[in-house]
Amino acid sequence: MAIDKLSLYNKALILLGQEGLEAIDDDRAGRHHLDAVYSLDAVKYCLQIVKPNFARKTAKLTTSTVSNVHDLNRSFSLPSDFVEIVDVYTDSNLDQPLSRYLREANQIQCAYTTIYVRYISSTHEETYTYWTPAFANVVATYLAREASVKIDSSKFEKLDEKFTDRVEIAKTLDLENEPANRASVSTVTLSDDWRTIYNDALMVMGLEEITTNTDDSNRKTKLDRVLDAYLVQDLLEDIGWTFAQKSTKAYYDPSLEPSWGYRHVFKKPDDLGRIKGLFHDEHFQAGIKYYEDEGGNFYCDNDVIYIKYVSTDWLNTPSQWPAFFKRLVAGRMAKDAAKSLKNEGADYDRSEIEYEKRRDSALSNDAISSPPRVIRNGSWVRARTRGGYRNRPGDY
């Protein structure tokens, strides 16, 4: 049945235990009571309570008057069809809600020169073709409840309960047509390698995978955000990963002369992430103990130094990462993003446990891939094998 005023009145009369109307102009007491309620902005009231999606509009407001009463000195007039505010934003992507504003009469007062107001419009107040059945039930129940005072007051309490229930049903159904957590705008287009890592992170959290490199879902943009927060750089700096190490020979810069202290200045490599060590020799056996690390330079007395370090060139090259590091990055992304995706079903506890397991595995794999090193004798052993003991340990 199509939604129209007659169908609304008949739904209300059924709730009141009354006989329905043949036409909207039937000359009956019940119809006159419903007319009286309807004329008192019944639909606008229901729009204000439910805030249905079909009645939502967005307006960009750029014209304001200046007031000197307070610091929120920009006053914007609300649209003529305004019923109720849904949200107010400061940006065209509707990512940044405006929290500091006042609502006075038909105006919004804030400190911005342009705002975006999402609001409930009265445009479809009687354009029933846009109404949902759930909203029609809310209006019909409201009409019945208000008219019951004149028709049958004993039904008011039950109708009031039914009205509350139907309002909640209508709101819940509307949520299914618009995401509760709208994703922030994403300007990141993934590569296939990055999408594989993102999907691994989503699997760890127990969420659905993404299927395209241009996905704009909330779960994808939350992973964008944790990655933007220097996640890979932090992992690279946390451990001196063997796979990401690089070495270079550096000469002091003759144009830089320290006014005191060490004689020479060496500029750091542009891609230096974490320092593994400074050495006297090209075989990286004799470490330099005395040097200063300040800003973009090293200071020491050598003419030449050899630097071993973790390179930042590995930050954005997932195709070259070993499998254990890809899994570690995905595990850390899941751990960092899980709490912000809790409403979508992300499992934080599982993500935290999985990250720790992957970190242990990565450390073990990286250690195995490191080249063997000569184990040198300690000072106690050297003391027992030199003069005084005739080079014979145990010869007392």
Side-chain angles (χ1 to χ4, degrees):
M1 178 185 294
I3 299 171
D4 57 17
K5 195 172 185 178
L6 178 61
S7 69
L8 292 174
Y9 277 24
N10 282 333
K11 283 175 180 286
L13 289 169
I14 289 171
L15 291 170
L16 288 163
Q18 301 290 307
E19 184 179 349
L21 304 174
E22 293 292 331
I24 195 61
D25 57 355
D26 280 1
D27 188 14
R28 285 175 43 192
R31 190 218 99 195
H32 294 305
H33 292 314
L34 292 174
D35 278 345
V37 176
Y38 194 93
S39 65
L40 296 174
D41 291 328
V43 176
K44 281 186 179 178
Y45 175 74
C46 292
L47 288 172
Q48 189 176 34
I49 295 295
V50 177
K51 297 183 181 179
N53 289 331
F54 73 80
R56 296 185 181 192
K57 288 176 66 175
T58 302
K60 177 182 179 180
L61 304 184
T62 58
T63 303
S64 61
T65 57
V66 179
S67 168
N68 295 319
V69 177
H70 45 65
D71 288 341
L72 302 176
N73 58 1
R74 296 281 181 173
S75 296
F76 297 87
S77 294
L78 291 164
S80 59
D81 59 336
F82 173 85
V83 174
E84 186 60 76
I85 289 176
V86 177
D87 282 301
V88 183
Y89 300 90
T90 61
D91 67 309
S92 59
N93 288 318
L94 309 187
D95 282 335
Q96 302 298 324
L98 176 60
S99 57
R100 295 186 68 251
Y101 70 88
L102 299 176
R103 166 82 189 284
E104 294 183 355
N106 70 329
Q107 293 186 326
I108 288 180
Q109 299 179 346
C110 65
Y112 286 82
T113 57
T114 299
I115 59 174
Y116 300 82
V117 181
R118 198 156 189 233
Y119 67 99
I120 298 301
S121 167
S122 62
T123 303
H124 302 309
E125 184 178 355
E126 293 192 0
T127 310
Y128 303 110
T129 53
Y130 290 94
W131 287 24
T132 62
F135 183 72
N137 281 340
V138 169
V139 174
T141 308
Y142 177 75
L143 292 172
R145 187 191 73 172
E146 298 303 294
S148 68
V149 177
K150 293 289 186 179
I151 298 174
D152 185 351
S153 60
S154 66
K155 295 182 180 296
F156 181 89
E157 187 173 341
K158 286 188 176 181
L159 287 171
D160 185 55
E161 292 178 2
K162 186 176 287 293
F163 175 69
T164 300
D165 291 343
R166 288 188 168 181
V167 166
E168 290 306 312
I169 290 170
K171 287 181 175 181
T172 301
L173 290 173
D174 263 359
L175 285 176
E176 296 178 2
N177 294 315
E178 181 172 299
N181 295 310
R182 184 172 56 85
S184 300
V185 64
S186 175
T187 58
V188 178
T189 300
L190 300 177
S191 65
D192 290 342
D193 290 309
W194 272 118
R195 179 156 58 91
T196 299
I197 293 172
Y198 273 54
N199 280 335
D200 189 13
L202 291 169
M203 181 191 70
V204 170
M205 289 187 283
L207 301 179
E208 289 295 317
E209 66 178 356
I210 57 178
T211 57
T212 67
N213 291 342
T214 55
D215 184 276
D216 66 350
S217 63
N218 187 55
R219 62 191 187 283
K220 187 263 183 183
T221 55
K222 287 294 187 258
L223 291 175
D224 288 343
R225 296 297 176 266
V226 299
L227 198 61
D228 288 343
Y230 307 104
L231 183 146
V232 178
Q233 184 173 340
D234 183 55
L235 288 175
L236 283 174
E237 292 178 353
D238 182 40
I239 302 295
W241 304 100
T242 300
F243 76 87
Q245 286 181 18
K246 187 175 177 180
S247 57
T248 187
K249 179 180 182 180
Y251 297 90
Y252 75 91
D253 188 339
S255 66
L256 299 175
E257 295 184 9
S259 56
W260 54 275
Y262 292 110
R263 293 185 299 115
H264 297 316
V265 181
F266 298 81
K267 289 185 177 179
K268 290 181 179 178
D270 292 337
D271 62 333
L272 187 144
R274 170 182 169 140
I275 302 167
K276 291 287 290 181
L278 272 59
F279 299 85
H280 293 283
D281 66 307
E282 62 187 10
H283 298 294
F284 303 98
Q285 296 299 310
I288 298 175
K289 295 182 179 179
Y290 304 107
Y291 70 92
E292 287 293 333
D293 178 353
E294 293 184 4
N297 301 312
F298 293 121
Y299 296 79
C300 71
D301 288 330
N302 292 46
D303 294 334
V304 178
I305 62 174
Y306 297 85
I307 309 169
K308 187 179 284 289
Y309 63 97
V310 173
S311 171
T312 58
D313 287 345
W314 291 86
L315 286 174
N316 297 301
T317 56
S319 61
Q320 299 178 39
W321 295 347
F324 68 78
F325 192 72
K326 292 178 182 178
R327 286 174 55 79
L328 179 63
V329 170
R332 175 66 179 274
M333 289 172 70
K335 177 178 177 291
D336 287 4
K339 285 187 176 180
S340 65
L341 290 168
K342 184 178 179 180
N343 290 340
E344 296 191 23
D347 188 333
Y348 175 77
D349 291 336
R350 173 184 170 185
S351 301
E352 188 173 32
I353 292 169
E354 182 65 17
Y355 168 67
E356 293 301 330
K357 287 170 58 179
R358 292 187 177 198
R359 189 173 187 276
D360 291 342
S361 176
L363 289 170
S364 177
N365 276 281
D366 194 62
I368 291 172
S369 65
S370 301
R373 297 184 181 276
V374 176
I375 300 177
R376 301 182 180 280
N377 289 333
S379 58
W380 186 80
V381 173
R382 291 196 301 272
R384 295 195 53 166
T385 57
R386 60 177 181 257
Y389 293 100
R390 302 178 186 175
N391 294 327
R392 291 181 297 171
D395 184 0
Y396 298 92

